[in-house]
Amino acid sequence: MSKEKFKYKRRSVLLSGLNLLALGAMNVKAQDVKPLTIGVLTDMSGIYGDVTGQGSVIAAKMAMEDFLAQGGRSTRPIKIISADHQNKADIAAATARQWIDREGVDVIVDLPNSAVALAVNNIVQGKNKVMLVSGASSSDLTGKNCSPNTIQWTYDTHALAAGAATAITQSGGKTWFNLTVDYAFGHAMARDLANTVAKNGGKVIGSVLTPLNTPDFSSFLLQAQSSKAQVIGLINAGGDTINSIKQAVEFGITNSKQRLVATVLYINDVHALGLPIAQGLQFTEAFYWDLNAQTRAWSQRYAKRLDGRYPSALQAGVYSSVLHYLRAATALEDPKDGKRVVEKMKALATDDPLFGKGSIRVDGRKIHDMYLFEVKKPQESKYPWDYYHVVKTIPAADVWRPLSEGGCSFVKSS
């Protein structure tokens, strides 16, 4: 494989001085101390670039800055680097190996694209480092592919299905036809959604697999229309969601008796679509910038650093997970032992301005409430990025898959 294939964009920030005060008492030279290195492995240029990408790097830097501003101390300098995985599992795996072996990366974060996250998962466990997944949603990451070195932070396919699919099926959307993106996320989401629909008295009567990053959904949407299903489920994300919704509008689906449901929707998608097209869509999400005073204050700081763009839930997840990681890692004598760091993260309660109070289960699932949102009508939006109504808060107990059903190998059966 050519060297060109593994080229990646890289940005780094090294905090020098502020964290080295403790080294004097240890009589250790700063240059002899290996930094605590955080690698943001993300999508800089593809269909998830708006919801992760450079915004995720900014979120990680803000977590580092806030950790220090809140009195956090580290005996090591903290370094952040980043790379574009190009939505290719082989490039992500090669980058992860190089980071860990040559650059001393201790924790890899973000990882949008479930196929990418699953590929890196095995590498991180084998090398005893830490993986914090905020971007990938396959529930297999805390199920059959769980790892004692991995925490899945923001959401997963089970939680997404448990929210919107439950509400829509209970309100009369009993028959579904799904457009499912053909990779790990799509397959996991289709499974979890079908289970949720069935539990609520509905049925998936048809589905079609769609390529990742396809520009043309016309043939797939025509199949969905002709199925006469009450609900057309879009099991995709990022640019694919935007394109499929735009084309569904062109086909008149949103003005028909069939109901269009985006199983994954981010605020960046709504911004790109515009309220006239996105209005009325309901979906499940873990975070909204305008949810409360704390989320607003942080998001306004963030927006000033990213040309006025507000954060997605995935970028919020990067901030939250990195902040908690730093609290745990710096509390240990050896923050280079990934498994021990993850054990410490699980032992500490989580608490930050974006997700509030929560916890981390033994299988690596971060636990917090989720929300059912509905996109506002254009006349209801009062200021920039004012896009959502909160339909309801979904308690954590109702949204996350029970431990007994996940199939995680190191979870003891009751």
Side-chain angles (χ1 to χ4, degrees):
M1 194 168 290
S2 68
K3 293 181 180 179
E4 291 296 321
K5 191 170 184 180
F6 297 111
K7 283 187 176 180
Y8 55 81
K9 296 177 182 178
R10 179 182 164 199
R11 299 168 178 82
S12 67
V13 56
L14 177 63
L15 188 68
S16 58
L18 294 178
N19 277 333
L20 299 177
L21 296 177
L23 296 176
M26 298 169 60
N27 195 28
V28 178
K29 292 182 179 180
Q31 59 265 33
D32 295 332
V33 177
K34 293 182 179 179
L36 195 62
T37 304
I38 300 165
V40 184
L41 189 53
T42 189
D43 179 3
M44 291 288 189
S45 56
I47 61 173
Y48 306 128
D50 284 345
V51 297
T52 58
Q54 186 57 29
S56 290
V57 179
I58 288 172
K61 291 178 181 179
M62 290 178 68
M64 179 185 69
E65 293 163 2
D66 289 355
F67 169 74
L68 295 166
Q70 294 164 9
R73 293 181 177 274
S74 176
T75 57
R76 300 172 183 269
I78 302 170
K79 181 179 179 181
I80 296 175
I81 64 175
S82 64
D84 183 358
H85 60 50
Q86 300 175 47
N87 286 296
K88 296 179 180 178
D90 57 347
I91 290 179
T95 301
R97 287 192 188 95
Q98 177 175 319
W99 272 359
I100 295 169
D101 294 343
R102 301 181 187 176
E103 303 193 45
V105 166
D106 299 289
V107 54
I108 299 177
V109 306
D110 199 9
L111 299 136
N113 187 314
S114 293
V116 162
L118 289 165
V120 175
N121 189 46
N122 294 330
I123 295 168
V124 169
Q125 182 177 357
K127 294 181 180 294
N128 193 25
K129 297 303 177 182
V130 178
M131 187 169 86
L132 304 179
V133 182
S134 60
S137 62
S138 172
S139 60
D140 290 342
L141 285 160
T142 55
K144 66 180 183 180
N145 296 111
C146 67
S147 162
N149 297 73
T150 292
I151 296 173
Q152 190 173 23
W153 203 266
T154 311
Y155 64 167
D156 64 24
T157 50
H158 183 279
L160 295 173
T166 296
I168 289 163
T169 307
Q170 290 179 349
S171 66
K174 298 296 185 182
T175 57
W176 290 62
F177 186 100
N178 296 326
L179 276 60
T180 303
V181 65
D182 189 13
Y183 78 103
F185 150 67
H187 301 160
M189 187 73 209
R191 176 197 65 212
D192 290 338
L193 186 144
N195 290 337
T196 298
V197 169
K199 286 179 181 178
N200 288 279
K203 184 179 180 181
V204 176
I205 64 172
S207 64
V208 60
L209 293 175
T210 66
L212 179 67
N213 200 19
T214 182
D216 186 3
F217 286 87
S218 57
S219 64
F220 310 123
L221 290 167
L222 286 171
Q223 290 181 62
Q225 272 188 313
S226 63
S227 74
K228 306 299 182 184
Q230 294 169 316
V231 180
I232 298 175
L234 302 178
I235 302 180
N236 51 28
D240 282 344
T241 300
I242 292 170
N243 287 334
S244 55
I245 291 174
K246 284 181 177 178
Q247 290 169 37
V249 171
E250 293 172 2
F251 277 98
I253 291 174
T254 54
N255 293 323
S256 69
K257 292 182 179 180
Q258 289 180 304
R259 188 169 181 178
L260 189 69
V261 173
T263 56
V264 180
L265 194 69
Y266 307 112
I267 194 165
N268 315 68
D269 303 335
V270 174
H271 187 73
L273 287 164
L275 294 183
I277 291 177
Q279 62 181 312
L281 287 172
Q282 287 189 349
F283 59 98
T284 312
E285 191 57 285
F287 168 85
Y288 173 44
W289 78 270
D290 207 12
L291 193 63
N292 56 49
Q294 287 186 309
T295 58
R296 277 191 293 276
W298 184 88
S299 298
Q300 287 164 354
R301 287 171 50 211
Y302 171 97
K304 289 178 181 178
R305 299 172 72 156
L306 197 65
D307 303 322
R309 288 182 284 166
Y310 281 75
S312 72
L314 307 187
Q315 291 155 342
V318 170
Y319 172 87
S320 177
S321 61
V322 170
L323 183 63
H324 191 68
Y325 167 82
L326 289 172
R327 289 168 176 165
T330 56
L332 297 174
E333 290 184 8
D334 181 15
K336 297 286 184 177
D337 184 336
K339 189 174 180 180
R340 287 197 62 210
V341 173
V342 169
E343 289 172 352
K344 185 67 173 179
M345 292 179 72
K346 292 175 180 177
L348 295 174
T350 62
D351 190 5
D352 65 77
L354 307 189
F355 292 84
K357 297 181 184 296
S359 61
I360 302 170
R361 282 194 324 204
V362 63
D363 61 349
R365 176 65 262 162
K366 165 70 165 60
I367 302 298
H368 48 256
D369 292 344
M370 297 282 282
Y371 303 91
L372 182 64
F373 293 118
E374 181 175 290
V375 179
K376 290 183 174 183
K377 298 175 181 177
Q379 63 270 27
E380 295 173 328
S381 178
K382 306 302 181 185
Y383 41 86
W385 297 79
D386 174 26
Y387 293 156
Y388 298 168
H389 291 298
V390 179
V391 178
K392 66 175 180 179
T393 300
I394 310 172
D398 296 339
V399 76
W400 303 109
R401 180 180 58 200
L403 269 173
S404 60
E405 297 177 8
C408 178
S409 58
F410 54 82
V411 173
K412 295 179 180 179
S413 58
S414 56

